[in-house]
Amino acid sequence: MSPSQQRKPAPKKGSKGGKKRRSRRSRILRGALWTVLGLIVLVVIAFVVAYKAVGIPSPNQLAAAQSTVLYYADGKTELDRFGAVNRQSVPLSQVPDHVQKAFLAAEDRNYYQNGGISLSGMARGAWRTLTGAGTQSGSTITQQYVKNYFLTSNQTLSRKFREIIISIKLDHEKSKDEILQDYLNTVYFGRGAYGVQTAAQAYFGKNVSQLNVSQGAFLAELVRGPALYDPANGKQATHNAHARWHYVINGMRTEHWITPQQKANARFPKVLPPHQQNAASGPTGYITQQVKQELENKLHLTEDDLARGGYKVTTTINRQAQRAAVKAVQDNMPSGAGTGDLHAGLTAIKPGDGAVVAMYGGRDYAKRQFNSATDAHLQAGSTFKIFTLLAGLRDHVSTMNRYDGHSPQFFPEFQGPQNPQGKVSNYGDEQFGYINLVTATAHSVNTVFAQLNIQVGPANTMKAAVDAGLPPRKQNCTPSSHHCTPGLNANAANVLGTASPRVIDMANAYATIAARGERATPYLIKKVTGPGEDYSAKPTTTRAFSKDVTADVTDAMEHVVTEGTGINALALGRPAAGKTGTTDRNLAVWFDGFTPQLSAAVAMYKGDGTVPMQNIGGFQGLTGGTYPTKIWTAFMQGALQGQPVEQFPPRAGVNDNLVPTTTAPTTTTPTAPSPTTTTTTVPPSQSSSSSSSPSPTTTTSPSPTTTTPTPTSTAPSPTSPSPTTTPTPTRTKPPASPSGTAEGTGGGSGGGAGGNAGGGASPNLTGAVPGAG
């Protein structure tokens, strides 16, 4: 072994090297000890200073400041409020001992022994969180009381420190019974109920003094999270409630607060169904509910957070526009026989931004919680033709392209079990010659749009609808879905409106056109401030269509107002573009349109959406050109009052260079299948819309060819005059309708090659209601 590998002998006791090492260790230990003592002194000093500086707010003062206030877009005018305290205080002597003990079993079994805080409980909760065993606050009842009603729920060290200080101070300045009494009188139980007395009424319809052991245990379990344990919230909440209830009952027995016999006799109590708490009356309640949902979805504010309140919410709702919406519906809905269960939905959106500036979901939210603007899925009817027009212009089509407008026509693509002939008809079999797409849009000519959809492809029509803003159709999409569009399929009949969007979706889709192709996401919350929140909305937009494409589509839609089915909107007195829509048997009627500043959609239906709107208000059948157009016009007049008149961009002439300049060929009449079949009713399983209308003044001019074109089974070769010239169509007027327009139902298409288009006009979410013409 080399000298270097030999172990050095340990220093002898008393040697100089050993003394040096011991001296160094002693210095380190003394330094650490003084550091710890210094930190302890600092903590004690900080605690003493904080203890003297922090005051205890009064529960009554806090309760008065709990409402969450909703404001109009100006941020000053109150729209509504929720979270207002619904509370009736009772002395602790009126709360049975077994009810008091149920709360201790659920939340703090050592309540009467601890000093306001539980160090072991906080350590245990921190350990469970760190080890992934679940979150547990470890808070005493005193700490919960302080956190929920004197502070915020923010998980910060400074908030936790204040919670501990106030809890200790409260425990020293008040008796345990006083703290428990205040806690039970202010804690939130869900259903708008603050305090154990109000909760007893809300869940059991009796006073707290009448509650038995099982009922007291149920109320105690709610404190942990009312939304999680209220059986009215579904199967999972029911399961949670039973499990938590057993935990409370077992805890009461473990602590010897109930006898073995009482535990054996305990049964999960029967809970009353919820009734509407603090619901805003009238149309305002629908907005309040939508704002609440957006707060929960976007800001993750729970029901408990919102109920405790203290938030200022500035909405996007414009006060002038909202008042105009309510007045427009109230003044223009039909009255008399058969109108008692008519419903209207209206939504207005700022183009290029997505802000919802007005919403009408119904007459009174307190009586009917179904929002006709956001919950009802209604077949779109002819309002859907605009998406085929958008698809066409993106696919080498010009609005000057001309098509055969005769009725009926027969198309293999529209054949199906319900329509073996593939028959498509205009309303009342109204006859047109070769007309361009501007005229076809103005008068909602079904046979022309059927040809256009076949030419551009139904899948491209569906894509244009989604690009504009309709939620796509997803697997298991039902009329109760808010993030998909039932019936949105890629079959030939989709052009006639077999899909069932919501009013808010159509308002947003048309807002994309008004914004010259910029699609925005609708939103209702502009700004939120309050406990732990400082939120400002940031609108999101996406380029969906080119400016030139939307300019030409807007030009065609202007003709709907100036000469077509939506002529009632001329009363607006400023540039407007829109489209009417009516479904088979008048189950749903629409007018969707926009000005440069504002887009709005209006829809009407009867009952649950499966009841025809016929023989109402003097009309054999309501159409989109009647009451919906009048409501839309009256709303726009009020909403835009005082705003400058703006113009639409000029027509861009997309694909005009591709329009043929030759004369339309003479076609031969195909052999009509089954000449004995004369019905023009659209098969229920396939199509939704057929709408066309004469102008207020109808003129007739020679057909573009020497012979009258006859129906063909395929789209004819289009012809056109100069791209800037709109030809006057050859027309035969159908019987005049009471509205002065012939926009309506009665014609229609057969089932598309894709089979049943699905979807439904039924807003009661009971299932699909097939569309028709």
Side-chain angles (χ1 to χ4, degrees), residues 351-354 394 463-470 508-509 511-513 515-522 539-545:
D353 181 275
R394 291 204 295 193
K463 183 178 186 303
V466 173
D467 289 345
L470 293 195
N508 191 50
T512 300
I513 305 172
R516 306 190 68 182
E518 286 283 340
R519 183 185 71 242
T521 302
T540 57
T541 60
T542 303
R543 170 61 60 182
F545 305 95

Side-chain angles (χ1 to χ4, degrees), residues 53-223:
V54 175
I56 302 175
S58 166
N60 291 327
Q61 292 173 345
L62 178 78
Q66 285 307 294
S67 296
T68 289
V69 183
L70 276 58
Y71 295 89
Y72 285 100
D74 62 10
K76 300 177 182 178
T77 308
E78 184 174 327
L79 170 67
D80 196 8
R81 59 176 59 204
F82 54 76
V85 175
N86 175 23
R87 178 165 63 98
Q88 180 183 351
S89 297
V90 293
L92 191 63
S93 59
Q94 290 187 17
V95 181
D97 183 69
H98 57 262
V99 175
Q100 297 179 37
K101 293 302 193 293
F103 283 86
L104 302 187
E107 300 298 323
D108 187 359
R109 298 180 186 180
N110 295 316
Y111 173 71
Y112 280 96
Q113 286 75 46
N114 61 50
I117 63 171
S118 172
L119 295 177
S120 61
M122 288 189 290
R124 185 170 57 252
W127 176 254
R128 286 177 58 85
T129 301
L130 290 172
T131 58
T135 59
Q136 181 176 322
S137 68
S139 297
T140 65
I141 279 181
T142 307
Q143 286 177 269
Q144 291 180 42
Y145 176 56
V146 169
K147 178 186 69 174
N148 292 338
Y149 298 99
F150 298 148
L151 302 173
T152 71
S153 297
N154 290 344
Q155 298 299 318
T156 63
L157 290 175
S158 61
R159 199 276 300 158
K160 192 68 177 179
F161 183 70
R162 290 192 66 210
E163 173 192 311
I164 293 172
I165 294 293
I166 296 176
S167 297
I168 295 173
K169 192 169 187 177
L170 192 68
D171 192 75
H172 279 76
E173 295 186 9
K174 287 193 172 187
S175 70
K176 287 289 188 179
D177 284 351
E178 286 179 302
I179 296 172
L180 182 60
Q181 175 179 287
D182 288 345
Y183 171 79
L184 292 176
N185 280 325
T186 55
V187 69
Y188 183 61
F189 290 89
R191 300 191 181 184
Y194 288 83
V196 68
Q197 168 65 12
T198 310
Q201 292 286 351
Y203 288 93
F204 302 112
K206 58 177 64 175
N207 294 325
V208 64
S209 60
Q210 301 172 304
L211 296 181
N212 59 32
V213 170
S214 295
Q215 293 166 337
F218 174 82
L219 293 186
E221 74 176 69
L222 292 172
V223 173

Side-chain angles (χ1 to χ4, degrees), residues 357-617:
V357 301
M359 176 182 290
Y360 183 92
R363 298 181 187 92
D364 191 350
Y365 182 78
K367 296 180 180 178
R368 184 176 188 263
Q369 284 78 56
F370 189 85
N371 189 331
S372 294
T374 61
D375 294 334
H377 285 268
L378 305 167
Q379 286 190 316
S382 287
T383 61
F384 209 85
K385 289 174 181 172
I386 298 304
F387 303 129
T388 302
L389 191 59
L390 285 165
L393 267 65
R394 291 204 295 193
D395 188 28
H396 306 97
V397 174
S398 162
T399 58
M400 290 295 110
N401 278 114
R402 300 169 69 195
Y403 298 83
D404 181 2
H406 271 71
S407 175
Q409 294 188 39
F410 304 89
F411 305 94
E413 292 83 357
F414 280 76
Q415 290 177 347
Q418 301 296 323
N419 183 26
Q421 301 174 350
K423 182 179 181 180
V424 177
S425 302
N426 296 331
Y427 169 69
D429 265 343
E430 185 177 11
Q431 301 299 319
F432 292 84
Y434 276 82
I435 57 175
N436 63 26
L437 290 174
V438 172
T439 303
T441 301
H443 302 289
S444 203
V445 183
N446 289 336
T447 55
V448 167
F449 274 93
Q451 295 170 60
L452 179 63
N453 200 34
I454 292 170
Q455 178 181 340
V456 303
N460 287 325
T461 290
M462 181 176 68
K463 183 178 186 303
V466 173
D467 289 345
L470 293 195
R473 184 179 185 273
K474 301 176 182 178
Q475 188 175 10
N476 300 322
C477 183
T478 67
S480 63
S481 304
H482 284 185
H483 301 292
C484 69
T485 305
L488 183 57
N489 296 322
N491 59 18
N494 66 8
V495 65
L496 301 178
T498 54
S500 298
R502 302 176 301 162
V503 172
I504 191 173
D505 297 329
M506 289 301 290
N508 191 50
Y510 275 41
T512 300
I513 305 172
R516 306 190 68 182
E518 286 283 340
R519 183 185 71 242
T521 302
Y523 65 99
L524 266 166
I525 298 174
K526 185 177 179 180
K527 185 176 178 62
V528 179
T529 58
E533 291 292 343
D534 187 9
Y535 167 85
S536 294
K538 296 179 180 179
T540 57
T541 60
T542 303
R543 170 61 60 182
F545 305 95
S546 73
K547 292 181 179 180
D548 287 348
V549 164
T550 55
D552 285 10
V553 170
T554 299
D555 172 74
M557 295 172 70
E558 285 186 88
H559 285 256
V560 174
V561 174
T562 58
E563 65 181 80
T565 57
I567 198 167
N568 280 328
L570 265 179
L572 178 58
R574 62 171 71 207
K579 187 69 187 75
T580 53
T582 308
T583 63
D584 181 49
R585 296 189 299 133
N586 314 90
L587 296 180
V589 292
W590 296 76
F591 185 80
D592 304 338
F594 52 86
T595 67
Q597 301 105 311
L598 193 59
S599 172
V602 177
M604 288 175 56
Y605 61 95
K606 183 176 172 66
D608 64 356
T610 63
V611 184
M613 290 179 287
Q614 296 171 356
N615 300 314
I616 293 174

Side-chain angles (χ1 to χ4, degrees), residues 748-759:
S749 79
N756 191 331

